[in-house]
Amino acid sequence: MNPTDSSIAAPEPTEVEWQFDVSDLNVIERWLRIAVPHGGLTAEPSDERAIVDSYVDSDDLRLHAAGLVARLRTDHGQAEVTLKSLASDGDSDTGLRRRLEVSQPLSYALLYKLIEGRGPVIDRIREHVSPRDLRVLFTVHTNRRCWSLSAAGQPIGEVSLDDTMIEVGNHSSKIRRVEVEAGTPADELRLVPFVEVLRVAHRLSPGTSSKFGSGLELARRAGLVDGTSAAG
């Protein structure tokens, strides 16, 4: 078969990242500021952002049942909808996660934009549930400090220091996490030495639950959804 045949499916967009729980984000930031390269990479502060995420699904959690998570995000005035897979083929011992992630820009991060719109994410959602059946399950607020990672002057990834608050009714959860995300899946191996230095130096443990998993558990406790939470 001709390798350029259009019948060959393109690779799915994949997110490659490591997630670690941390008690003090400032300790990690001070470590990043040390001039000596870590694991052969250099780290530079890039920006600080206030991110608002609204996770959406149907009342009977049809996306969740299909192994998917849908998220509306507002970040620096930009809006998007993202679809991720719950399952990861990474390594739970090292905090590595590899999973589907595809995003689509929106004019506003509002449900009616999903009802009215089409596109790579909205069309995938429609395969499992009508956008008219979606509702916001919970909202997550994150203050994120970002550091860019470079090798030989070329950007290959990012470190995010996330201070997150999830509130559902009278229930809340605070998550402090450091995430290292590869710029592309091909950058994963180049980031491994840096991640190992970071993990060992601070005795970090892999993230115990995702923001979605924590929020869904709170929504369940508040009686807003049925069933149990899932890691994702």
Side-chain angles (χ1 to χ4, degrees):
M1 181 182 290
N2 188 327
T4 61
D5 194 312
S6 61
S7 65
I8 299 176
E12 289 278 38
T14 303
E15 173 191 55
V16 178
E17 68 177 6
W18 293 260
Q19 296 185 357
F20 301 102
D21 291 328
V22 59
S23 58
D24 190 342
L25 292 168
N26 292 326
V27 170
I28 306 298
E29 185 162 43
R30 286 194 294 269
W31 181 79
L32 289 169
R33 291 187 182 278
I34 297 174
V36 179
H38 303 290
L41 306 184
T42 56
E44 297 288 340
S46 53
D47 60 5
E48 185 169 348
R49 308 201 293 266
I51 301 171
V52 180
D53 292 324
S54 295
Y55 288 85
V56 302
D57 205 335
S58 60
D59 284 331
D60 54 358
L61 301 179
R62 267 169 272 168
L63 288 175
H64 180 270
L68 298 169
V69 175
R71 180 190 72 199
L72 292 166
R73 167 168 287 186
T74 300
D75 180 2
H76 261 191
Q78 302 297 311
E80 66 178 12
V81 57
T82 296
L83 194 66
K84 294 189 179 190
S85 59
L86 278 167
S88 167
D89 67 351
D91 185 342
S92 59
D93 292 334
T94 64
L96 174 64
R97 298 185 180 196
R98 300 188 200 95
R99 55 187 177 176
L100 163 77
E101 180 183 76
V102 58
S103 296
Q104 175 183 336
L106 300 173
S107 53
Y108 298 99
L110 298 172
L111 273 177
Y112 82 88
K113 289 297 180 182
L114 304 186
I115 295 171
E116 295 178 348
R118 305 295 301 212
V121 175
I122 298 175
D123 290 347
R124 285 179 184 238
I125 290 174
R126 289 177 184 273
E127 294 173 7
H128 303 280
V129 59
S130 167
R132 293 185 180 278
D133 292 336
L134 296 175
R135 68 178 178 88
V136 174
L137 300 178
F138 54 87
T139 300
V140 177
H141 295 266
T142 299
N143 290 320
R144 169 171 289 179
R145 287 173 275 170
C146 301
W147 288 68
S148 60
L149 296 174
S150 301
Q154 297 298 314
I156 64 169
E158 183 176 73
V159 179
S160 298
L161 305 179
D162 285 358
D163 192 351
T164 296
M165 176 62 73
I166 308 171
E167 294 180 312
V168 182
N170 295 324
H171 302 274
S172 64
S173 179
K174 184 86 167 178
I175 300 175
R176 292 187 180 91
R177 181 161 292 169
V178 54
E179 299 182 359
V180 181
E181 183 171 358
T184 69
D187 294 317
E188 177 184 334
L189 291 180
R190 302 173 76 183
L191 287 170
V192 168
F194 169 84
V195 173
E196 279 302 292
V197 172
L198 171 67
R199 185 174 67 86
V200 173
H202 299 283
R203 300 180 181 179
L204 299 178
S205 298
T208 53
S209 178
S210 69
K211 293 165 187 172
F212 172 77
S214 297
L216 189 56
E217 173 63 18
L218 292 180
R220 184 189 66 80
R221 291 180 190 174
L224 301 179
V225 297
D226 293 326
T228 59
S229 67

